[in-house]
Amino acid sequence: MRRIAALLVSLAACPDGQVAGEATQGPGSGGEASTLASSETGSPTGTGGGTSGPGDTGVEPPPPGSVRFAVIGDFGLDIQPTRDVAAMVRGWAPDFVATVGDNNYFTGSADTIDVNIGKHYHAFIAPYRGSYGAGAAENRFFPCPGNHDWDGGSLEPYFDYFELPGNERYYRVRRGPVELFSLDSDPREPEGVAPGTTQGLWLEAALADSDASFKVVLMHHPPRSSGYHRDAVWMQWPFAAWGADLLLTGHDHDYERIVADGVPQIVLGTGGAALRPFTIETVGSQRGHADTYGALRITADETRMVIDEVAPGGLLVDRLQLFAGAPTEWSTVIAAGASWRYHERDAGPGWNALEFADADWPEGAAPLGYGAGGEGTTLPGGASPVKPMTTYLRHRFSVGDGSFAEGDPLRLRLAVDDGAVVYLNGVEVYRINLPEGPIVAATRAGLAVSNWFTPRMSETLIDGAALVVGENVLAVELHQHYAFSSDLRLDLELAAGVP
């Protein structure tokens, strides 16, 4: 793990209205040597330094009956990080792409809009009036305006370039089980940026009118943020009471997952503009970084939505899962601070199964780890200069007949430094901050977790189909980012819905 002080030194803090150009790319950009993808086809054309290029994630296609879409934010510059993110997004072959603003730096000019957007995303835009190839048969690109789109004095270039629903500043789009509600959060919005304005009343009515399984609100300015710009208090509308399931925002050039005001919120300012460090903790901050560029890959069917934050090269940095009709009351089945058995060497095949014999593994109370402070159990591996890359942990627990609704999702709260895979009775139910695909003992977590987020519980729902009446086991493999890391941590709470 890297300390937050190192993060503050290493990342450029761009003031409002300033974005790094090619010469000041942030961490994770890959530079000119990174594998690029053809702007026409999205296929790899370079020879990047890793095992996979920005557009090659090895991701399985979405299941039948589901929709997959990408969300990008603060991306509107034709520089290397933007190209890497765009190549990755095209490699997913999403049904559509949505944005959370700042589509066209620096002033939303008609002279820059095609090179900043169309060069990378023309295959999703209809009608496409630019010069970088063919457009889409129907529009599959749904932006919302940001402050830089407004900074030329109006949104006229934006209106001329796109054909969007409604008044094109705020509108709704339904695709299968998901409905998007795109807002204009800029104070220059002529119909207001408060709940009682024309725009606010429109959103309240539109959310009430929707029967989508998942209602996602997108805007540029985040109601809550620990980043450079902090909370956009004027956008703290009663989204949860109106029926929103998820808020997606940008503006701050970092990634942050927040649960506040009754609704999960994500700040996604990692589309290409220079990354900036966090400043002051906001209400409900759970997980985040300012270390790499990336986008959201969201897959949803009628019952579940999986929101993955992915960095170029196929690194799954963060994951949030939502379930339609999820329980509203929960009963704890594994408490924070519970006792876990642990093993600091390769545990061998079947280690995550219920029938695996773990009686000879040491046991201790969570939080387990070292170096972060407040450990219930200090793991021996922390005393070695070269730390174990992977630590294996198991917790047996029982649930009674009638104490949970069979097949309902479970609620997982997890404090993890750096990355983890979670298994319920041998079935993978969650993964965070690790590459996609097979995981082995030597697999490194993708990013170091800063002091800011190490002790915090992040919350998600997980599939509960593997939970059975009687004895169960929850198994976690905990991965370091670096063998000389100063710390490691796991604490966990699992709850089942009250039937």
Side-chain angles (χ1 to χ4, degrees):
M1 125 168 217
R2 285 169 290 186
R3 298 296 178 186
I4 191 68
L7 180 66
L8 292 172
V9 171
S10 66
L11 298 178
C14 294
D16 190 17
Q18 182 181 354
V19 184
E22 293 261 9
T24 57
Q25 296 165 22
S29 68
E32 291 298 337
S34 293
T35 302
L36 303 183
S38 162
S39 64
E40 297 300 320
T41 66
S43 60
T45 60
T47 59
T51 58
S52 62
D56 176 19
T57 64
V59 177
E60 294 293 326
S66 64
V67 62
R68 174 170 291 164
F69 63 101
V71 183
I72 52 177
D74 298 84
F75 68 97
L77 281 167
D78 181 30
I79 58 176
Q80 193 61 52
T82 302
R83 297 171 199 147
D84 288 348
V85 171
M88 176 181 70
V89 167
R90 293 194 303 267
W92 298 339
D95 295 303
F96 62 93
V97 177
T99 88
V100 289
D102 279 1
N103 310 275
N104 182 21
Y105 288 103
F106 293 92
T107 59
S109 169
D111 295 335
T112 56
I113 195 166
D114 195 33
V115 69
N116 286 342
I117 304 173
K119 180 177 180 180
H120 311 291
Y121 294 102
H122 59 84
F124 298 93
I125 300 172
Y128 175 61
R129 305 180 178 95
S131 58
Y132 289 96
E138 63 173 324
N139 189 51
R140 298 188 293 131
F141 193 87
F142 300 104
C144 68
N147 55 290
H148 283 284
D149 301 300
W150 269 102
D151 278 351
S154 77
L155 288 180
E156 286 309 313
Y158 181 92
F159 294 147
D160 291 343
Y161 195 74
F162 297 114
E163 287 192 10
L164 301 170
N167 63 23
E168 299 188 293
R169 303 187 312 277
Y170 57 88
Y171 58 88
R172 59 195 291 187
V173 174
R174 176 72 179 265
R175 291 294 183 271
V178 178
E179 188 156 12
L180 304 184
F181 302 84
S182 182
L183 301 181
D184 181 10
S185 58
D186 194 279
R188 288 164 284 192
E189 161 56 42
E191 294 184 356
V193 287
T197 62
T198 299
Q199 182 179 206
L201 295 173
W202 169 85
L203 179 65
E204 181 181 13
L207 286 167
D209 173 66
S210 175
D211 64 355
S213 296
F214 298 99
K215 305 174 188 180
V216 182
V217 177
L218 301 93
M219 72 198 83
H220 184 60
H221 300 81
R224 303 284 181 181
S225 173
S226 302
Y228 176 83
H229 292 292
R230 305 286 293 117
D231 297 353
V233 295
W234 67 90
M235 291 307 299
Q236 290 175 2
W237 300 3
F239 296 107
W242 289 354
D245 297 303
L246 176 67
L247 305 186
L248 303 179
T249 70
H251 199 41
D252 275 323
H253 299 175
D254 54 51
Y255 172 86
E256 188 174 14
R257 177 151 56 103
I258 300 159
V259 175
D261 311 313
V263 64
Q265 308 177 29
I266 290 175
V267 179
L268 181 74
T270 56
L275 302 175
R276 292 190 290 241
F278 295 100
T279 56
I280 301 172
E281 177 185 359
T282 192
V283 172
S285 178
Q286 293 190 347
R287 188 87 176 176
H289 68 84
D291 283 343
T292 187
Y293 298 96
L296 295 183
R297 184 187 65 223
I298 302 180
T299 307
D301 58 23
E302 296 291 344
T303 60
R304 175 165 59 175
M305 172 181 280
V306 181
I307 303 104
D308 289 336
E309 188 221 354
V310 188
L315 169 62
L316 175 65
V317 180
D318 193 28
R319 170 170 286 172
L320 170 65
Q321 296 184 137
L322 306 177
F323 285 74
T328 57
E329 295 184 60
W330 300 92
S331 174
T332 301
V333 295
I334 301 176
S339 184
W340 291 75
R341 293 194 178 274
Y342 59 89
H343 190 76
E344 293 184 290
R345 296 182 302 277
D346 192 338
W351 73 273
N352 54 16
L354 178 62
E355 59 271 17
F356 183 84
D358 59 12
D360 61 340
W361 286 20
E363 188 173 8
L368 300 103
Y370 46 80
E375 288 81 16
T377 300
T378 300
L379 296 178
S384 172
V386 180
K387 313 297 194 296
M389 284 302 296
T390 302
T391 301
Y392 302 85
L393 305 104
R394 290 168 52 91
H395 178 87
R396 294 181 185 271
F397 65 100
S398 295
V399 293
D401 190 12
S403 64
F404 68 99
E406 186 174 349
D408 268 5
L410 306 173
R411 187 186 67 192
L412 177 68
R413 290 177 172 161
L414 183 70
V416 57
D417 183 333
D418 291 302
V421 184
V422 180
Y423 305 90
L424 177 58
N425 296 327
V427 177
E428 181 177 336
V429 291
Y430 189 66
R431 180 182 299 208
I432 187 170
N433 196 18
L434 283 165
E436 301 186 294
I439 299 293
V440 298
T443 301
R444 293 176 54 189
L447 300 178
V449 177
S450 74
N451 286 354
W452 188 302
F453 294 104
T454 292
R456 296 184 183 164
M457 291 279 202
S458 58
E459 181 175 318
T460 185
L461 299 183
I462 61 173
D463 192 342
L467 186 68
V468 298
V469 173
E471 190 176 25
N472 296 264
V473 66
L474 198 74
V476 180
E477 55 180 290
L478 187 60
H479 291 251
Q480 286 279 25
H481 173 68
Y482 184 53
F484 297 95
S485 175
S486 63
D487 60 2
L488 184 77
R489 191 176 191 88
L490 177 75
D491 200 0
L492 184 151
E493 177 190 290
L494 186 68
V498 176

